[in-house]
Amino acid sequence: MGFVKLQVGEQLFHTTTGTLKRFPNTLLGRLEEGTHFIDRSPLAFTHILNLYRTGILLVDNDLVEQELEYYELKGLNYDIKDVFPPPNIGFPQSWAAHMAIRSIQLFSRAMELGLRSFSIQIDPNGLAKGIPRQLFQTRRDRHFWHDFSHSFVMAPPGSTDDFGLAFREHFNVTLTPSYPNMVLAVTNMDGKPTEHEAVSWVVFRTKLIRTPPQQLTYGMCGLVLLDAYELQFTLPDTLTASTIPERVKTVVNGILKSEDVMVDILMLN
């Protein structure tokens, strides 16, 4: 069994001839040990190589299916798991379920790179900080993190709690919201609109306590409390690339069931 280095586009992958012999009569199955260059998309190749390793093809975009023909994998005997978001799950209906499905890409990428323990902070403006360098290399990585982190700013009340509870149980991911650390003061004492003033929560509370009522400019203000979050990932040893979709499916079903129960309770009241 020899070692194989595959330079696919701008990304380098490592595997063995033994892994590639799972499908011997294919483009990759015929490769000998050494270094090879393949001028194709590294994003799709992540799923192609995972197919050789696990015998399971995870399909999360059209490009993966298009590449099967090039790698001579079309029509062979392997399991296919479609991880496209189900049509009845969308951001407006269930933020937590939507984010769970989006996380498949994050978990798959982390597993591919051997990252099981890392943390990420999301500030009140939806900017992610502390992302491991390995997870922020390609345009697709940057696009993912931009959308993923900004989604927290738009989360409906209570949705981040549902997301956090489900992911702590199934993926050992802890979501910790910080105390609101920024306030937008919208109107002043006499009720006339004023420009939005961003102040820290501590400053805002201090002014409320110490400023005489007649001098307080926040008397009738409308407030938006902006949360920050920390995501601590400690992925369990039992988690593998092939089990990620099934676990996410369990998470999504649990979230939707929980939200249905809450809707029923609200309607009864």
Side-chain angles (χ1 to χ4, degrees):
M1 181 176 65
F3 292 100
V4 180
K5 292 183 181 179
L6 298 168
Q7 181 74 44
V8 183
E10 68 277 10
Q11 192 168 338
L12 183 64
F13 296 82
H14 298 264
T15 187
T16 66
T17 53
T19 296
L20 299 180
K21 292 302 180 186
R22 178 185 286 268
F23 303 108
N25 299 318
T26 60
L27 176 68
L28 299 180
R30 292 189 291 269
L31 293 179
E32 302 294 337
E33 64 181 273
T35 302
H36 305 270
F37 176 75
I38 301 175
D39 191 17
R40 305 296 286 189
S41 165
L43 301 178
F45 188 78
T46 298
H47 297 287
I48 297 296
L49 185 56
N50 186 66
L51 171 58
Y52 281 87
R53 289 169 172 165
T54 66
I56 299 171
L57 179 67
L58 303 179
V59 180
D60 64 355
N61 60 68
D62 293 334
L63 181 58
V64 175
E65 293 187 302
Q66 294 169 12
E67 291 291 87
L68 292 178
E69 190 168 348
Y70 176 82
Y71 291 104
E72 304 174 342
L73 288 161
K74 205 134 187 165
L76 297 184
N77 185 27
Y78 49 80
D79 294 327
I80 299 177
K81 290 192 176 181
D82 189 341
V83 293
F84 281 105
N88 62 327
I89 298 175
F91 186 87
Q93 290 76 30
S94 174
W95 179 90
H98 171 88
M99 294 298 287
I101 294 170
R102 292 291 314 277
S103 298
I104 292 176
Q105 178 182 336
L106 168 58
F107 291 132
S108 298
R109 190 93 167 94
M111 293 294 295
E112 174 199 337
L113 296 167
L115 291 174
R116 288 187 177 270
S117 181
F118 56 96
S119 62
I120 294 160
Q121 297 78 43
I122 299 175
D123 73 11
N125 298 310
L127 298 177
K129 301 176 181 178
I131 302 170
R133 181 178 54 82
Q134 304 97 307
L135 294 176
F136 203 70
Q137 292 183 332
T138 67
R139 178 185 296 180
R140 189 187 186 196
D141 291 339
R142 293 189 289 273
H143 181 73
F144 169 83
W145 283 111
H146 177 272
D147 287 352
F148 187 82
S149 58
H150 276 78
S151 294
F152 278 86
V153 179
M154 300 179 286
S159 293
T160 54
D161 294 336
D162 294 338
F163 177 86
L165 287 172
F167 272 72
R168 183 182 305 138
E169 178 182 355
H170 294 279
F171 291 97
N172 203 19
V173 176
T174 304
L175 173 65
T176 307
S178 71
Y179 202 65
N181 63 357
M182 187 179 294
V183 174
L184 296 183
V186 182
T187 56
N188 59 15
M189 265 298 284
D190 58 11
K192 294 180 181 178
T194 182
E195 292 184 4
H196 294 188
E197 181 183 0
V199 295
S200 74
W201 177 251
V202 174
V203 170
F204 177 78
R205 290 289 295 163
T206 302
K207 287 189 175 184
L208 282 181
I209 295 170
R210 296 183 178 179
T211 306
Q214 62 272 22
Q215 298 178 19
L216 187 63
T217 59
Y218 302 123
M220 296 295 293
C221 62
L223 302 177
V224 179
L225 303 182
L226 303 178
D227 287 315
Y229 299 91
E230 180 175 7
L231 285 156
Q232 177 65 51
F233 295 82
T234 311
L235 302 182
D237 293 336
T238 54
L239 182 67
T240 64
S242 60
T243 61
I244 290 172
E246 197 61 36
R247 288 204 188 196
V248 170
K249 182 179 178 180
T250 301
V251 168
V252 170
N253 289 338
I255 289 171
L256 293 180
K257 184 177 180 180
S258 172
E259 291 180 351
D260 287 343
V261 170
M262 287 305 300
V263 169
D264 291 341
I265 292 173
L266 291 172
M267 291 182 68
L268 287 174
N269 293 333

